[in-house]
């Protein structure tokens, strides 16, 4: 069964079906939590900011323009709240943004190496300039299109493409510079279309 798009749910909430907002919460809570974790917040702070974002979006729902991407609007609220907190980024263990291809069967050694590689990739991601890291997080955690990222970050689509490309190149260079690490990070053409919707 195909899920209704965000606009249908928003219209239902605005028409008085307040319970319909639960579908928005279900749809966005994990994406927002992942975004905040990738931006360096602890589990508790990420949960708090996720709830705050969803609550603020609910209160301002009637200000969301129908022609604007709802997902981009929600992520704008999230990023503004994150910036308003003014929290210093502290590296914490979190789920990896970049997944390595898994072989069919892992030995314990391979499993350990994969875990270490993911942690190393996340550490390297933390070293990227903020606008590169943010573009990567919005694309691969938030699953936003290049157009939505451009709107959120005040860039044009070409600049987003460039930021993502340079972020990947930088990550690949840092990975290759690490002794003993062998990992090919593909610089694939990314059409910028979100698979989340």
């Amino acid at each position: 069964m195909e899920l209704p798009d965000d606009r249908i749910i928003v219209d239902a909430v605005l028409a008085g079906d307040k319970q319909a907002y639960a579908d928005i919460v279900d749809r966005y809570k994990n994406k927002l939590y992942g975004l905040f974790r990738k931006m360096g917040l602890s589990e508790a702070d990420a949960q708090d900011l996720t709830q705050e974002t969803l609550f603020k979006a609910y209160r301002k729902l009637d200000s969301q323009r129908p022609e604007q991407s709802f997902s981009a609007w929600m992520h704008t609220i999230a990023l503004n709240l994150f910036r308003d907190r003014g929290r210093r980024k502290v590296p914490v263990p979190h789920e990896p943004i970049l997944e390595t291809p898994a072989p069919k069967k892992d030995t314990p050694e391979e499993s350990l190496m994969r875990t270490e590689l993911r942690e190393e990739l996340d550490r390297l991601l933390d070293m990227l300039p903020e606008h590169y890291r943010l573009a990567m997080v919005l694309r691969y955690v938030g699953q936003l299109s290049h157009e939505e990222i451009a709107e959120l970050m005040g860039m044009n689509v070409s600049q987003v493409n460039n930021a993502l490309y340079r972020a990947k190149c930088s990550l690949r260079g840092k990975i290759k510079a690490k002794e003993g690490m062998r990992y090919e990070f593909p610089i694939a053409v990314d059409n910028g279309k979100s698979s989340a919707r």
Side-chain angles (χ1 to χ4, degrees):
M1 183 175 98
E2 189 175 328
L3 295 172
D5 71 12
D6 293 336
R7 191 70 239 166
I8 292 170
I9 300 170
V10 169
D11 288 344
V13 175
L14 293 175
D17 182 6
K18 305 302 183 192
Q19 295 302 315
Y21 195 70
D23 291 337
I24 293 290
V25 171
D26 288 341
R27 196 170 284 194
Y28 284 94
K29 64 183 179 186
N30 291 336
K31 288 181 186 178
L32 293 170
Y33 176 80
L35 171 72
F36 293 131
R37 290 290 281 151
K38 292 298 177 198
M39 296 306 289
L41 294 182
S42 68
E43 289 181 18
D45 287 341
Q47 287 172 352
D48 288 348
L49 218 49
T50 296
Q51 290 177 355
E52 194 175 339
T53 300
L54 291 165
F55 181 68
K56 186 168 185 177
Y58 178 77
R59 285 187 295 129
K60 295 187 167 287
L61 206 53
D62 60 348
S63 71
Q64 199 270 326
R65 300 187 321 269
E67 70 275 8
Q68 180 186 26
S69 158
F70 182 80
S71 180
W73 181 76
M74 179 73 80
H75 281 80
T76 299
I77 292 172
L79 290 176
N80 286 338
L81 286 172
F82 175 81
R83 289 176 180 138
D84 288 348
R85 277 205 174 187
R87 292 201 180 273
R88 189 170 55 85
K89 192 175 170 322
V90 179
V92 293
H94 49 268
E95 292 299 311
I97 188 172
L98 303 169
E99 295 290 337
T100 55
K104 295 194 189 257
K105 291 185 181 179
D106 275 351
T107 64
E109 293 82 12
E110 289 171 331
S111 180
L112 178 63
M113 286 179 64
R114 181 166 292 102
T115 299
E116 289 175 354
L117 177 58
R118 287 175 179 159
E119 289 172 357
E120 182 63 21
L121 285 170
D122 278 346
R123 277 192 292 274
L124 294 174
L125 182 68
D126 288 342
M127 295 168 61
L128 291 176
E130 185 178 348
H131 67 290
Y132 287 176
R133 180 167 38 91
L134 181 56
M136 292 283 283
V137 169
L138 292 173
R139 179 70 189 120
Y140 296 106
V141 176
Q143 297 178 322
L144 298 184
S145 69
H146 290 200
E147 291 78 12
E148 291 169 328
I149 296 169
E151 183 180 338
L152 254 173
M153 295 182 68
M155 302 164 82
N156 62 44
V157 174
S158 295
Q159 290 170 318
V160 170
N161 290 340
N162 188 46
L164 289 169
Y165 177 80
R166 289 182 183 274
K168 290 176 185 179
C169 286
S170 178
L171 282 175
R172 184 169 57 185
K174 289 177 189 307
I175 291 167
K176 285 185 174 181
K178 291 281 184 184
E179 256 186 37
M181 286 189 69
R182 290 175 183 256
Y183 178 71
E184 284 300 313
F185 187 74
I187 306 294
V189 174
D190 183 348
N191 65 13
K193 294 192 169 110
S194 172
S195 59
R197 293 186 292 244

